[in-house]
Amino acid sequence: MATDTPALLQLIWLASPALPVGGFSYSEGLEAAIDHGLVHDEASCTAWLLDQLLITQARGDMAAIAQAVPAWRAMDTARLQELNAWVLATRESSEMRLQTVQMGKSLLDWLRNLQGHCPASPEALHCLADLPPTYPLAYALALACSQAPLDQALQAYAFGWAENMTQAALKAVPLGQSSGQRMLAVLARTIPEAVHTALTRTDETRQAFSPMLAILSSRHETQYSRLFRS
């Protein structure tokens, strides 16, 4: 993100599926849900992703990002370490942990590789590397650098997640492009609610409780045929 790039363009950049962090290789349990017959068409896939947005993302990772962005802006390292540890502790399967660690390191590399175009300070990059980074904490640093309002920053994260999950659904269900656009429209309309939920969570109400997703993720690790790493 170039330092002279407007905040809106920085958010669009971060929400892009072209961001080289490997998100395209993960379905976050969707492929396992398809394999077990829980998702099989546009309607069931839309319902699944809406639940994932409102139950796991809004209450968990998005809530952590909402708290990490101001912590990055204040360089509150103790708070950042606490939030990063919470993210790691909420990964209930090895592939979930692999995803957040791999994507976190890839986003750190991306920030470093921007060199003089990256507004992240050397101190912030060093702190991120020392955590070591999870994806929500790395993404929060990128969002903090944009100086965009927090609600807009979370909208960018959520839309990027929704677009990646929709693309995963098109490949794995499979579905057509028109179905994908209808699903994305429903998710986009729900993102403001998810952002509001994330912004109102505290340490006591932030949560990661989705047992079915954890079970499916564990089963996916030994699934016979699969396209995705999660």
Side-chain angles (χ1 to χ4, degrees), residues 19-26 88 91 94-110 132-136 138 229-230:
L19 197 68
V21 294
F24 65 89
S25 62
Y26 300 100
L88 284 173
R91 270 35 190 187
S94 62
E95 66 178 27
M96 285 181 173
R97 188 181 182 94
L98 172 68
Q99 177 180 350
T100 198
V101 169
Q102 181 268 299
M103 291 179 66
K105 289 180 178 177
S106 295
L107 190 52
L108 170 61
D109 289 341
W110 179 75
T134 59
Y135 187 60
R229 300 178 70 186
S230 73

Side-chain angles (χ1 to χ4, degrees), residues 16-221:
S16 171
L19 197 68
V21 294
F24 65 89
S25 62
Y26 300 100
S27 80
E28 299 186 18
L30 178 62
E31 187 173 36
I34 294 166
D35 187 64
H36 286 79
L38 300 174
V39 172
H40 52 83
D41 58 11
E42 179 183 335
S44 58
C45 191
T46 302
W48 177 271
L49 293 182
L50 280 174
D51 282 347
Q52 200 162 357
L53 173 63
L54 293 174
I55 296 173
T56 66
Q57 286 293 326
R59 299 177 182 181
D61 283 5
M62 287 174 62
I65 291 171
Q67 295 174 340
V69 169
W72 277 118
R73 290 173 177 167
M75 278 308 299
D76 185 345
T77 55
R79 179 64 167 157
L80 293 167
Q81 290 168 355
E82 175 187 333
L83 290 169
N84 195 67
W86 182 86
V87 171
L88 284 173
T90 62
R91 270 35 190 187
E92 297 181 282
S93 70
S94 62
E95 66 178 27
M96 285 181 173
R97 188 181 182 94
L98 172 68
Q99 177 180 350
T100 198
V101 169
Q102 181 268 299
M103 291 179 66
K105 289 180 178 177
S106 295
L107 190 52
L108 170 61
D109 289 341
W110 179 75
L111 288 167
R112 284 171 168 166
N113 289 337
L114 287 177
Q115 298 177 355
H117 302 289
C118 177
S121 68
E123 179 187 8
L125 292 174
H126 182 73
C127 175
L128 181 61
D130 282 347
L131 286 175
T134 59
Y135 187 60
L137 269 290
Y139 205 98
L141 173 57
L143 292 174
C145 293
S146 73
Q147 297 302 317
L150 187 53
D151 61 333
Q152 294 179 16
L154 289 173
Q155 288 171 19
Y157 168 83
F159 188 81
W161 173 87
E163 192 167 21
N164 186 70
M165 294 301 296
T166 298
Q167 289 301 313
L170 297 190
K171 299 173 187 175
V173 174
L175 295 170
Q177 293 292 335
S178 294
S179 292
Q181 288 300 300
R182 287 191 293 268
M183 290 166 52
L184 194 57
V186 174
L187 289 167
R189 287 198 300 270
T190 312
I191 283 174
E193 178 185 349
V195 169
H196 175 74
T197 298
L199 289 172
T200 55
R201 293 279 151 168
T202 64
D203 285 350
E204 289 72 29
T205 59
R206 188 179 66 243
Q207 66 181 53
F209 183 70
S210 47
M212 178 57 73
L213 185 60
I215 291 169
L216 288 171
S217 177
S218 296
R219 290 177 176 174
H220 185 264
E221 293 173 359

Side-chain angles (χ1 to χ4, degrees), residues 7-18:
L8 176 59
L9 292 180
Q10 292 186 41
L11 293 182
I12 293 172
W13 193 350
L14 287 169
S16 171

